[in-house]
Amino acid sequence: MPADDPVTRDPAGATTRYLRVRDRTLRILTDSPGADGLVSETFFPPGMLGVHETGPAARPDLTVVDTAHDPATVAELLRRTAETAVRGEYELTRDYRQPRFDTEGRTVFVLRDQNSDEVAALIRTEGRITLVRPRSGLGDRWLTRIIRDAATRIAKAAGSLVLHSSAFCHEGGAYLVVGDSGAGKSTTAIALARLLPSAGWMGNDRMHLDRDPDGYGVTACPLPLAVNKGSLDVMGITDFGSWSVRAGFPPAGSDWDRFHGEDKLKLSSQEVSRNLGVRVVPQAPLAGVILPRVDPEAGYSFGPASPAHAAEVITRNCFSLDDNLYGEDWLRVPVGRPVPPSLDAFLEHLGKLPVLRATVGSAPDVARLAAAFAERVRA
């Protein structure tokens, strides 16, 4: 397949949709029902990562085209490109580099997931990104990944502060659950979302915060909720064996049944809502922060966090300058000059809000935390 073919015409019979990301419009085309469905499932509910469906735009800021082919076709495209292009490298994700091929008017990037040998290609031209990838479940995921990458870069350019954090919503306000990897962010956030009346779960791993006249607004990033059986045990969940999940369960013999196992069960926001019985809230005003510790060997504790400790944990988990998920801006998403966020301004604002510490190690501890948290917020 010549590299000109996929970038000069849209795929026949493709599904077309338009997504509004803050002040930018993305035109999305795909000839794969699986990829189209995954986009809908990922950016659920509307507003996740600031992404909303919108009407057709005569001049979208970026067009993303997704086309599925046989692996041999993808390999042939890359082989022909390599014969005439200048070869280089790029950073697909942090510290993970892949080949790129530069020719006049376009650049072809090799796409390869770190956990697979399957190869796809992305062709970048002016105002257009074209995916040429195999017909496979992994191939279907590339479109969502590109949209998420573009939306993140749009948010950062607008001045979003990005924190390594989970979050839940209570009485209309967002409570960040901030901590290092393994601290129990996801467990604490989803447990409180399930136990508190009128609560909701916002997301897993990272949150975007934007300054507004009343403080900060929190927007969730649509990454899967990753939990192991130890976390499910702490939350008192026992019916997980009956769940039907897209990603499937970790294989037998893996360490997912440990409390800190590396292999985890991954749930989309729709699967979280369906299986855990909680509503998903994509955006809410910031109301407070919890710094968690989930440890079956530790005793229960709950109380205010010192400003110094909160500042240390939050600063260590700020992704605004060095996000470990995204590499260089190889997509060249059309955005204005970035507005650097102020972490100091955010920490100063936290002085007006409840900032709490909590340690739990069992299902009774989690129930105790929910009751204590609700009482503290009311006070």
Side-chain angles (χ1 to χ4, degrees), residues 3 74 77-78 81-82 85-93 96-103 105-112 118-125 128-133 142 146 328-333:
V74 180
L77 168 65
L78 292 172
T81 301
V86 177
R87 182 185 174 108
E89 286 188 341
Y90 76 107
E91 191 179 43
L92 174 59
T93 56
Y96 179 60
R97 308 190 70 81
Q98 288 294 302
R100 62 182 285 173
F101 303 95
D102 293 292
T103 61
R106 74 190 59 196
T107 301
V108 178
F109 300 88
V110 174
L111 300 179
R112 183 185 285 109
E118 182 178 289
V119 175
L122 181 144
I123 307 170
R124 188 187 69 200
T125 52
R128 181 178 173 117
I129 291 170
T130 305
L131 284 161
V132 181
R133 47 75 174 188
W142 282 113
I146 295 303
E328 65 184 80
D329 187 12
W330 58 280
L331 290 176
R332 292 187 185 173
V333 178

Side-chain angles (χ1 to χ4, degrees), residues 91-97 114 145 324-327 330:
E91 191 179 43
L92 174 59
T93 56
R94 188 67 61 191
D95 299 324
Y96 179 60
R97 308 190 70 81
Q114 287 179 285
R145 185 167 175 174
N324 67 354
L325 183 63
Y326 298 101
W330 58 280

